[in-house]
Amino acid sequence: MDTHRLGRTEVEVTQLGFGGGPLGGLFEPLDDATAARALDAAWESGIRYFDTSPHYGIGHSERRIGDLLRGKPRAEFTLSTKVGRLLVPQDPRGRTDESFAVPATHRRVWDFTRDGIRRSVEDSLDRLGLDRIDILYLHDAEQHFEEALRHGYPALAELRAEGVVGAIGAGMYHPGKLTRLVHEADPDVVMLSGRHTLLDHSALDELLPACVEHGVSVVAASVFNSGLLATDRPVAGARYDYGPAGPELLERVHRIADICEAHGVTVPQAAMAFPLLHPAVACIAVGMRNEQEVRRNIAAFAAPVPPELWIDLLGYGLLDERALLPTAG
C-alpha cells in the first residue's frame, strides 16, 4: 500500500488508515475477539497506520490496538492517539458509557493544560503497552479551542522537540478552527472529520488551501459521514454525522449512486477515493469494527475509479467545482 510522509517530518502513513473509534464499542457492543480479528485482517491487508484515542470506549480502543501492535516490529507501523480528555476512574453502578457500549468505569475530564496532556500521553502508553506514539492530536477542541491553541499546542510542540512524538496536530470536525491552527502554529498534520467528503466540501473554502500553503498534511476521517456513504445505496436508519440522515441528503446520495453505477463504481469506492484527489490529503482513516468490514473496505479502496466519474458528478452539480479532479492540472 502506498505511503505518504506527513508535512516535513519523517513520519509516514499508509494511504488507508485504520480508524479505532468502532473498536471502543461505538453504538453497539464489541468483544475482544472480534476486534482482534478486524485488526489482524487490517495488518494482513497492508494497513500500517492505526489511529485511536482515550475517548473511544474510555480506553478500550487503545488497549485493543495495543494488543495487536505490541507483537509487531515497531518500525513497521505508525500509531496516533489524541489528548484533551483525561479518564478518571468511577463506579459504573450499571451505567453504560455515552455513545460507546462499554461499562462506564471512567469519566472524561477536559484538560488541555501542559500537565494534563503529559499525563494523558503517559496513560495512553500504559493502555497501549508501547514505548512511543508517532502522531499526537489535540482532540475535539472545538469548544475549548483557545485553551487548546494557547496551552495545549505548545505542550505538543514540546513533546515533538523532545522526540517523544514524531508529528503533531489536531483532530476536529471544524475546518475553520483547524485553519486557524495551521496559520497560527506549526502543525505537521490535521485530522479532519467529515468535512472533505462526497457530501461535504467545506474544507475547500480555507483549510485545504492553507494546508497546501503551509506544507501541512491532512488525514481525512469520517469519509463515509458516519455511514451514509458506506453502502451502495442508503439503508434504513442511515446516519449522517452521527444523526439520522434527512430526506434531502438521502436523495443526493441516490443521485450520486446512479452516476457511480453508470461508471461501474460503488458509492463507498467513490467516497474513499475522493478525498485523496486533493494534494494536501495524505491518508484517509476509516473506522472498522470487524473482519468483514475491513475486507470490504480494502476491496473498495483498491478498486479503480475512472476520472470520468468525477467529471459527471461535477457536471450534475454533485461536486464542488473547486475539488481537484484527476484531469485537472
Side-chain angles (χ1 to χ4, degrees):
M1 190 177 294
D2 289 342
T3 62
H4 288 290
R5 186 171 294 180
L6 299 180
R8 292 174 289 275
T9 74
E10 298 298 317
V11 178
E12 293 189 351
V13 293
T14 44
Q15 279 193 310
L16 177 59
F18 189 104
L23 294 193
L26 183 63
F27 300 130
E28 58 187 75
L30 184 72
D31 61 83
D32 285 349
T34 300
R37 287 192 294 271
L39 288 162
D40 284 339
W43 186 271
E44 291 168 8
S45 75
I47 291 175
R48 294 295 183 269
Y49 172 43
F50 297 85
D51 174 68
T52 185
S53 169
H55 172 57
Y56 302 154
I58 47 177
H60 279 64
S61 175
E62 287 186 320
R63 176 180 58 78
R64 287 166 168 164
I65 286 178
D67 287 346
L68 168 80
L69 296 181
R70 283 194 302 277
K72 307 299 182 184
R74 186 62 186 86
E76 292 187 13
F77 63 84
T78 299
L79 169 71
S80 61
T81 193
K82 306 180 181 77
V83 292
R85 297 174 175 93
L86 292 173
L87 302 183
V88 178
Q90 66 177 9
D91 184 349
R93 296 199 180 267
R95 289 179 290 111
T96 300
D97 174 67
E98 295 184 7
S99 297
F100 297 91
V102 297
T105 56
H106 292 71
R107 61 185 177 87
R108 299 166 179 81
V109 177
W110 289 102
D111 194 332
F112 287 99
T113 66
R114 177 183 181 275
D115 288 347
I117 283 172
R118 285 184 169 266
R119 177 182 162 189
S120 182
V121 169
E122 290 174 2
D123 290 348
S124 289
L125 288 171
D126 285 343
R127 285 187 291 268
L128 290 159
L130 296 169
D131 62 350
R132 75 174 190 272
I133 295 161
D134 300 298
I135 309 165
L136 194 60
Y137 298 107
L138 300 168
H139 195 197
D140 292 345
E142 283 85 355
Q143 303 306 314
H144 309 268
F145 187 73
E146 295 303 326
E147 180 187 5
L149 180 63
R150 304 305 172 197
H151 301 287
Y153 184 81
L156 264 61
E158 188 176 82
L159 291 167
R160 180 178 60 185
E162 294 171 0
V164 176
V165 296
I168 60 172
M172 290 189 273
Y173 64 84
H174 196 295
K177 290 181 177 176
L178 285 174
T179 302
R180 274 194 62 195
L181 182 77
V182 169
H183 282 305
E184 297 181 26
D186 62 342
D188 306 301
V189 58
V190 295
M191 177 175 279
L192 177 66
S193 180
R195 296 297 176 261
H196 185 52
T197 72
L198 283 178
L199 294 175
D200 190 318
H201 307 139
S202 54
L204 291 166
D205 293 339
E206 297 179 337
L207 177 59
L208 294 185
C211 288
V212 170
E213 177 187 353
H214 290 270
V216 175
S217 296
V218 176
V219 173
S222 299
V223 298
F224 297 142
N225 284 120
S226 303
L228 185 54
L229 296 172
T231 53
D232 294 356
R233 294 276 177 176
V235 297
R239 292 186 177 96
Y240 176 81
D241 284 1
Y242 301 103
E248 291 184 4
L249 278 172
L250 293 172
E251 180 186 0
R252 186 178 182 89
V253 176
H254 278 294
R255 292 175 63 201
I256 291 172
D258 290 340
I259 297 170
C260 285
E261 287 179 2
H263 289 276
V265 174
T266 67
V267 169
Q269 289 168 358
M272 297 176 84
F274 171 72
L276 290 164
L277 297 176
H278 196 280
V281 178
C283 166
I284 60 171
V286 178
M288 295 177 264
R289 66 184 298 116
N290 57 48
E291 180 181 358
Q292 293 74 26
E293 286 188 6
V294 172
R295 299 199 183 282
R296 185 168 65 244
N297 286 330
I298 288 292
F301 180 77
V305 176
E308 293 77 15
L309 171 67
W310 312 119
I311 300 295
D312 281 357
L313 288 172
L314 187 63
Y316 282 94
L318 295 168
L319 276 189
D320 192 301
E321 63 182 6
R322 298 166 301 169
L324 181 70
L325 303 179
T327 53

